[in-house]
Amino acid sequence: MTQFYQLTATDIHGNQQKFEQFRNKIVLIVNTASRCGFTPQYAELQALYEQYQAQGLEIIGFPCNQFGHQEPDNEAKIQEFCQINYGVSFLMMAKIDVNGENTHQVYQFLKSQQHGKGLFGNAIKWNFTKFLIDSSGNVVGRYAPTVKPAEIAQDIDRLLAKNG
């Protein structure tokens, strides 16, 4: 079975990122969209990143256009939108699919580790679904789009304390 640190993905600038670089860090992965009711969560994600990055938190945003076509732009426009409107400095990746036949390997892994509840099984149900990965590469939390990033802070605190 694939481990988190064996994964790779292309960032928003077209560079290959090896997830080995996140070993011993806490990682929050989010599928994002620029034209969604949850888009203001970018500001909250950036605040979390600024609060915890020095202690070992990494946030990775994966733009996705599978929900209501709310991320129709290309990577350059997505990057510009995130920077201008929310000052995003955490890692943004190239646009991917999180469900279906072309599901990116990162989301295949995440969904295999943390099954969703309800009608859709482990499918990602909407933009801004969040996954929390501990410093050993284990998926330890899955959060619905309605869960605000600030509400995840206590789980991040707990994981950072274990690393302490």
Side-chain angles (χ1 to χ4, degrees), residues 75-123:
E75 279 75 5
K77 287 185 178 185
I78 294 167
Q79 177 68 21
E80 180 181 17
F81 173 86
C82 291
Q83 191 67 53
I84 289 172
N85 294 290
Y86 297 102
V88 167
S89 62
F90 54 83
L91 184 60
M92 290 294 294
M93 306 307 274
K95 194 166 27 173
I96 63 162
D97 284 354
V98 298
N99 290 324
E101 186 176 309
N102 297 314
T103 299
H104 190 279
Q105 67 172 346
V106 170
Y107 274 81
Q108 289 175 13
F109 172 79
L110 294 172
K111 293 188 304 183
S112 75
Q113 301 299 303
Q114 281 286 310
H115 300 293
K117 297 190 179 5
L119 184 62
F120 298 107
N122 72 350

Side-chain angles (χ1 to χ4, degrees), residues 20 24 34 42 60 68 74 76 89 99 118 122 149 162:
E20 176 64 34
N24 299 318
S34 301
Y42 270 127
I60 307 172
N74 65 27
S89 62
N99 290 324
N122 72 350
K162 284 170 64 175

